[in-house]
Amino acid sequence: MIRQLIRPLALALALPLAFGAASTAQAQAQAWPAKPVRMIVPFPPGGGTDILARLVAQKLTETNHWTVVPDNRAGAGGTIGIAEAARAAPTGYDIVMGQKDNMVVAPWLYKNLSYEPTRDLAAVAHVAFTPVVIVTQANSRYKTLDDVVKAARAAPDTITYGSPGNGTTIHLAGEIFNGAAKIKMRHVPYKGSNAAMMDVLAGNVDLMVSSVPSAMAQIKAGKLRPLAVTSAKRSSSLPDTPTVAELGYKGFDVSTWYGLFVPAKTPKEVIATLNAEVNKLLATPEMQAAIIAQGAEPQSMTPEQFGALLKTDYEKWKGIVQASGATIE
């Protein structure tokens, strides 16, 4: 008899508590953002990641009257900024513009990373993807990719190529091409795309392997010559530039993606809000044109779709990195 009385009483007490917890979470989500949101950019100003991050931050601020503040935290191939995001409080006030480089490649290259992306971060919104482009100074003696290959075979380890840093997809695209073409070019890592760009424009390095957004302005200005893109199909931003696969290296396909992440355990309501607002932006002709103008391709996803892409690529690049033999202490 006592048990029969206790069970309904316990249920009656539990329901308001559960309802109260749900109401609190809902209220917090509705109040978000009640203060400025920091968008961590894990590369220096001026590179492809920085360009897209600032574009998204600006449009979110203009459209929703939020305050989204980009914060460049560069170094170690983007892993310093990602690690800072992973350590942040899961409140929705720290988000990061990650990409394939530091989310799925770096964990297999660096021996002592402080984060594990599929565990410590939650996918919010895919923003864009882009091929990698191989460029050289406009007045370089290398007019085609075949010119580079012939010169590299004649004098191994003398042709240099710059990248935004060790362990990036862009760095590995160069190494994978070395293997595909059976050549040896010397990799020169920089702390971000801008520094590498300055050196290739000055002629201090022969080539640069770059995201299309990072190189687009200098290509349009006629200061850089694109030799090839590394994706399976041509870039809509560089329709006259052949793919590496077209030039005789069948199956060659290296591209990168960009998207927003938050610390794991960030409220799902906040993630849903952010995803919905970013996807609204990506659906506008203005935002699509702005992203394409930078050399990227806009593409929206749900958090679940983006999370699945992260996990798939995370496992895929484990094999690629291991096959390349590349490691970073």
Side-chain angles (χ1 to χ4, degrees), residues 8-329:
L9 180 60
L11 180 62
L13 290 171
L15 282 172
L17 288 171
F19 179 77
S23 299
T24 301
Q26 187 176 16
Q28 287 174 344
Q30 288 174 345
W32 184 92
K35 61 181 182 178
V37 176
R38 179 174 70 141
M39 182 183 289
I40 298 171
V41 185
F43 284 99
T49 307
D50 181 70
I51 291 167
L52 286 174
R54 288 179 184 277
L55 181 60
V56 172
Q58 176 189 341
K59 294 300 181 183
L60 285 175
T61 298
E62 290 175 358
T63 304
N64 299 299
H65 305 292
W66 298 348
T67 302
V68 183
V69 183
D71 183 15
N72 295 87
R73 298 287 175 171
T79 61
I80 289 174
I82 298 295
E84 185 164 335
R87 291 192 303 269
T91 59
Y93 290 100
D94 291 279
I95 61 180
V96 63
M97 180 64 83
Q99 70 275 82
K100 189 183 287 186
D101 296 348
N102 41 45
M103 295 297 293
V104 305
V105 178
W108 304 116
L109 280 169
Y110 289 82
K111 292 185 177 179
N112 298 303
L113 275 190
S114 63
Y115 65 90
E116 200 277 77
T118 62
R119 180 195 66 207
D120 299 329
L121 292 146
V124 174
H126 186 277
V127 174
F129 66 93
T130 177
V132 174
V133 63
I134 302 171
V135 297
T136 188
Q137 190 186 47
N139 61 1
S140 165
R141 65 191 178 100
Y142 305 117
K143 307 302 181 187
T144 66
L145 191 63
D146 191 49
D147 290 343
V148 174
V149 172
K150 287 177 179 177
R153 286 176 179 166
D157 204 33
T158 59
I159 294 176
T160 54
Y161 77 93
S163 84
N166 278 319
T168 60
T169 308
I170 294 168
H171 161 213
L172 286 184
E175 293 305 307
I176 293 169
F177 181 69
N178 268 337
K182 296 181 173 57
I183 59 174
K184 176 60 178 173
M185 297 187 294
R186 184 181 302 174
H187 176 231
V188 182
Y190 291 84
K191 292 182 178 179
S193 295
N194 254 13
M197 189 74 65
M198 292 304 102
D199 264 8
V200 74
L201 288 170
N204 296 328
V205 290
D206 299 304
L207 308 168
M208 179 182 175
V209 184
S210 169
S211 69
V212 174
S214 295
M216 200 64 192
Q218 299 296 346
I219 292 172
K220 286 180 176 178
K223 295 180 179 180
L224 287 178
R225 178 188 300 120
L227 301 178
V229 293
T230 63
S231 49
K233 63 179 184 178
R234 294 192 181 197
S235 166
S236 59
S237 302
L238 296 170
D240 297 327
T241 303
T243 67
V244 171
E246 284 178 64
L247 298 175
Y249 305 93
K250 295 187 182 300
F252 199 99
D253 182 13
V254 180
S255 58
T256 192
W257 45 250
Y258 304 86
L260 297 178
F261 295 86
V262 291
K265 298 183 181 178
T266 296
K268 290 183 179 180
E269 295 84 359
V270 171
I271 292 174
T273 298
L274 259 173
N275 177 268
E277 294 306 322
V278 171
N279 286 349
K280 282 181 190 176
L281 289 179
L282 294 177
T284 64
E286 179 187 4
M287 188 67 166
Q288 290 175 3
I291 291 175
I292 290 171
Q294 296 300 332
E297 312 278 346
Q299 184 182 47
S300 61
M301 294 183 183
T302 64
E304 293 75 21
Q305 289 170 330
F306 192 24
L309 174 64
L310 171 67
K311 289 179 181 178
T312 298
D313 275 357
Y314 185 69
E315 290 303 320
K316 174 184 175 182
W317 276 84
K318 176 182 180 180
I320 294 173
V321 172
Q322 289 177 344
S324 74
T327 58
I328 299 173
E329 294 296 334

Side-chain angles (χ1 to χ4, degrees), residues 4-14:
Q4 290 174 341
L5 290 172
I6 288 174
R7 286 175 182 171
L9 180 60
L11 180 62
L13 290 171

